[in-house]
Structure formats: structure tokens, C-alpha cells
Amino acid sequence: MKIVVVGGGVAGLVGARALLRKGHEVVLLEGSDGVGGRVRSDKVDGFTLDRGFQVLFKAYPAAQRQLEYSRLDFQAFEPGALIAQDERRHVLSDPFRDPSTLMPSVLSGIVSLKDKIQTLLLVNELSRKPISEILAGSDETTESYLRQRGFSDKYINNFIRPFYGGIFQDTSLTTSAKAFQFDFKMLSNGPTVVPAGGMGQISEQLAEELRAKGCIRLNSKVAELVRDEQGRYSGARLESGEVVSGEALVVATTAPEAARLTGQTMPPGQSGTVNLYFAGTAPLYKGKKLVLNSNLNPLVNLAMQLTNVAPEYAPPGQHLLSTSLVGSFENSDEELYTKAMTDLCRMFRGDAHAEIALTGYRPVAIYRIPYGQFPQPPGIHPTLPDNDSGEPGLYFAGEFTEASSINAAMISGEKAAELIEKHL
């Protein structure tokens, strides 16, 4: 059976590879010059630049099924974070997974002792709770969930808002509490990592078998989908006019593109981010933790000295700093670089070493990602599209059928392939 997959992101790659392994003829059409969608890395002047600050939670069940971890040379972050506020960088961490931070975490006044105890209780509860149980039942906002559990404004504003607000690209914390609990569980159950060669190595591994069989066609933007005389979806027409035909069609694009191609209702809205990279000759800080910005009116949501985790991200003698901004900005690149550097100086104020090092940092690249993910308000997940479009021959594979995460994209690709097999 010949199957056409539109979109070479993680979901499309997983679905296409699964179908190839089942013996089907697969053609994957990718509109850009490379696979991976948002999970791509670029090489610029010896630096490895992920397209947006991205990490992988090793505890992701789908990632464990789909990836050969041993081949990705994972480099792990330290649990917790440094919280920049005024002239201090407070340590907040899990002392069970990072024993060296026990005293700094206990003594830090950035959150209350009650909050720290509540966090350990939540770690214990969610790490033991099955994912199916987390995803079942009623829903509410992340902020409402945390307040009901007794967490303080201090904890929510100084840690949760910048940390999980960065993950969800929503610092208002109106994201579903189910999404928060799932991610909290993943963080509790395993390390956060990046491949030494960049996050794009994940997509490249998923594409290996497809590329070896000549299944991937790059720079093949789809203009519209095609139906046969019986109304069954039978292929895709490229912008060049060429029609690529198949007996089944999988749309594995972003939600807005899936809506354009099919006319079907997709999750509304979009959450964006801007990622700015800076490079210098000295690291700003030691250790492998994120630095969260809990100052008033922040521009930079978080900063990460990526070369502290993966030295391979920079050429010898250089250090790479990733900074993330939540939202979309109309400022010019130069304005954003200047404003971000001003905010970085505020985040590291009082640290003489960091202040001196920052004077030698220069811009490397900026990535504007207006569609980083779809918003996930409470109650949205049961309303998401099914992998079966309801139209003959047409299937969906994309995070928009599950949730906004790499894990969800992989699950959607798996389900689409299984569904096609079932319908044969």
C-alpha cells in the first residue's frame, strides 16, 4: 500500500517509519529543506543552535519506545533552577536527586519552607501516579491547581511562572493542570537532557530508515490535497503542480496548516517564543541549571549556559548562552538583542564575574517562533481531533491530536500508523 505523509516533523517521521516497517511504500513530503519541524538544529560558525530552547525529558514513554537513547549521547541538566531576583541567584532543587543542593535549597528564602515540603509531597505523589490517572477526571488551570494544594504566591510567581510558563509558553498559568501534572511527573521520574549534537539529532535518528529507502522529499510544499472520483483522499498536489498519489494520506503538519489543507476544525490560537543566542569566552555561571528570571516585568524568561551541559554546542574556547522570551515581538532583531542583554545584566547583577563576562558576549542568532504550540486551557484535550479524520483515506498525525510536547507528537504518529494498519 502506498501512503503519502505530509509533514516531516516528529509525528510525521514516527508515523512514516512505523508504516515503512510494516512493509508499506511511503512518501514523506516536507516543505522545508530539512526534517524535524520545530525539532531542528543549525550549525552556525561552529555553534549548534536548536530552533528554540528545547530539551527532552528522558522519562517520556513514547521517546523511550521510538529512540535509541544510547546513540544520542545525551547530556543531562541538573534538577531545579537558579532563580534570579534582585542581586541574588537562589538555588531551588530536589535534594534527593541533587544532594549537593540540600543546604542552599533549604536556606534559600526565594520560596517558603512550606512550599518546599509541598513540592516534595507532590513529587512523591505524581511520580507514583499512573499517567492514565493523571489524564482522567476533571480539569482546571495550573494556577488554580497549585493554589488548592496550598502553594504560595511566592512559589508560583518566583518558580512556577517562569519555569512552567516557559514550557507551556504561557506565563499566565492558564494551561491545563493535567498538562502541568504530566510534565511535573516526567521531570520527577528522569533527567532532562539534550543530545550532544543538538536536539535535531532526535529528528535525524527518526529519519534514518526513511532516508535510506529514499522516502523523504524535501522542499516539497503541498498546495492542496487531492480526492478521487469517489471522494476518497488520494494524494497531494505540490506547489509545482505535481500530484503525489497514494492509497492513504496522513496530514502531519502544525494545526493551522492541517486546517488549511483539510478545512477541518483544529485547536485555535497559538503560543509563540523568541530564542536569542549569545556567545562569549567565559561562562556566566557554574553548574548545569537553568536561570529563571523572577524580577519584575521580565523580558528574558530564562537563560541557560548550554555549554555547561553540552560543551559540544560551541567551538573550543567559546561558550553559548541561550535566552528565551515568551510571546511574539515586533521589535527588530537589534532591539531585542539590546533589550535582552540589558535584562541579562539585571539577572546577574551583583555577580562580578558574570557582569564582566557579559561585556564580552555577542549576538549569534535569533529564532522567532510564532507558532511554538497550541494553547492548552483546561478541558481542551478531550476535544482535540482524532487521528481518523472521518473522511475516507485521510488521517492526522500531530501533537494537535494529543497535547503540546515531543512525547505527544510521537504518540500521535504511532496512533496514525496503527489506525491505517487497522483499516487495511
Side-chain angles (χ1 to χ4, degrees), residues 13 43 62 76 94 108 132 163 181 224 239 258 267 281 308 330 341 365 374 381 387 389 404 423:
L13 292 169
K43 299 293 185 180
D94 179 351
S108 171
S132 58
F163 188 84
Q181 291 174 74
E224 61 180 353
E239 288 186 341
T281 57
N308 285 4
E330 296 182 357
M341 181 56 71
F374 65 89
H381 298 100
N387 294 94
S389 73
S404 283
H423 287 177

Side-chain angles (χ1 to χ4, degrees), residues 47 62 100 122 125 144 179 184 202 207 223 285 319 322 338:
F47 293 95
S100 66
L122 189 59
E125 176 185 331
S144 172
F184 193 98
I202 290 171
Y285 62 95
H319 297 270
S322 173
T338 299

Side-chain angles (χ1 to χ4, degrees), residues 181-248:
Q181 291 174 74
F182 174 78
D183 282 352
F184 193 98
K185 176 181 175 65
M186 293 298 100
L187 282 162
S188 301
N189 286 3
T192 300
V193 299
V194 292
M199 286 292 289
Q201 292 299 303
I202 290 171
S203 302
E204 291 300 320
Q205 187 182 104
L206 294 173
E208 284 176 352
E209 293 175 39
L210 296 162
R211 189 172 279 125
K213 295 292 185 179
C215 300
I216 298 174
R217 292 184 55 177
L218 302 177
N219 300 305
S220 299
K221 176 73 173 176
V222 173
E224 61 180 353
L225 306 183
V226 177
R227 298 181 191 240
D228 62 19
E229 294 178 355
Q230 287 73 45
R232 182 182 181 84
Y233 280 90
S234 59
R237 179 175 286 107
L238 306 183
E239 288 186 341
S240 65
E242 177 189 357
V243 174
V244 181
S245 299
E247 297 165 78

Side-chain angles (χ1 to χ4, degrees), residues 35-248:
V35 297
R38 285 159 284 177
V39 187
R40 288 186 64 179
S41 303
D42 298 315
K43 299 293 185 180
V44 178
D45 297 331
F47 293 95
T48 297
L49 308 178
D50 297 330
R51 296 193 176 185
F53 178 68
Q54 302 173 41
V55 296
L56 181 76
F57 300 158
K58 278 189 75 175
Y60 275 158
Q64 293 178 21
R65 293 191 297 271
Q66 293 296 329
L67 298 174
E68 293 181 53
Y69 280 7
S70 61
R71 294 174 53 219
L72 286 168
D73 193 11
F74 283 137
Q75 307 297 304
F77 291 71
E78 293 171 354
L82 300 176
I83 302 177
Q85 188 177 83
D86 299 327
E87 295 188 2
R88 292 191 61 189
R89 268 62 52 198
H90 302 264
V91 177
L92 190 63
S93 190
D94 179 351
F96 293 108
R97 289 194 296 150
D98 191 5
S100 66
T101 65
L102 176 60
M103 289 311 295
S105 292
V106 169
L107 296 175
S108 171
I110 197 70
V111 299
S112 70
L113 178 59
K114 179 185 175 183
D115 289 319
K116 294 166 187 174
I117 294 172
Q118 287 285 76
T119 299
L120 293 177
L121 292 174
L122 189 59
V123 167
N124 184 61
E125 176 185 331
L126 293 181
S127 63
R128 298 167 181 267
K129 184 178 288 188
I131 293 174
S132 58
E133 189 175 335
I134 288 175
L135 301 180
S138 59
D139 203 359
E140 59 187 315
T141 69
T142 294
E143 183 167 359
S144 172
Y145 171 79
L146 291 169
R147 291 193 185 283
Q148 287 191 34
R149 291 193 66 101
F151 287 102
S152 69
D153 285 348
K154 205 173 183 182
Y155 181 83
I156 291 171
N157 293 328
N158 291 338
F159 175 65
I160 295 293
R161 203 173 298 282
F163 188 84
Y164 284 95
I167 292 175
F168 301 137
Q169 296 172 15
D170 169 30
T171 55
S172 72
L173 299 182
T174 55
T175 298
S176 159
K178 290 182 180 180
F180 166 78
Q181 291 174 74
F182 174 78
D183 282 352
F184 193 98
K185 176 181 175 65
M186 293 298 100
L187 282 162
S188 301
N189 286 3
T192 300
V193 299
V194 292
M199 286 292 289
Q201 292 299 303
I202 290 171
S203 302
E204 291 300 320
Q205 187 182 104
L206 294 173
E208 284 176 352
E209 293 175 39
L210 296 162
R211 189 172 279 125
K213 295 292 185 179
C215 300
I216 298 174
R217 292 184 55 177
L218 302 177
N219 300 305
S220 299
K221 176 73 173 176
V222 173
E224 61 180 353
L225 306 183
V226 177
R227 298 181 191 240
D228 62 19
E229 294 178 355
Q230 287 73 45
R232 182 182 181 84
Y233 280 90
S234 59
R237 179 175 286 107
L238 306 183
E239 288 186 341
S240 65
E242 177 189 357
V243 174
V244 181
S245 299
E247 297 165 78

Side-chain angles (χ1 to χ4, degrees), residues 338-360:
T338 299
K339 290 178 178 291
M341 181 56 71
T342 299
D343 216 18
L344 285 168
C345 290
R346 183 171 63 147
M347 290 173 67
F348 288 95
R349 188 172 59 201
D351 183 330
H353 167 80
E355 289 176 332
I356 293 171
L358 272 172
T359 63

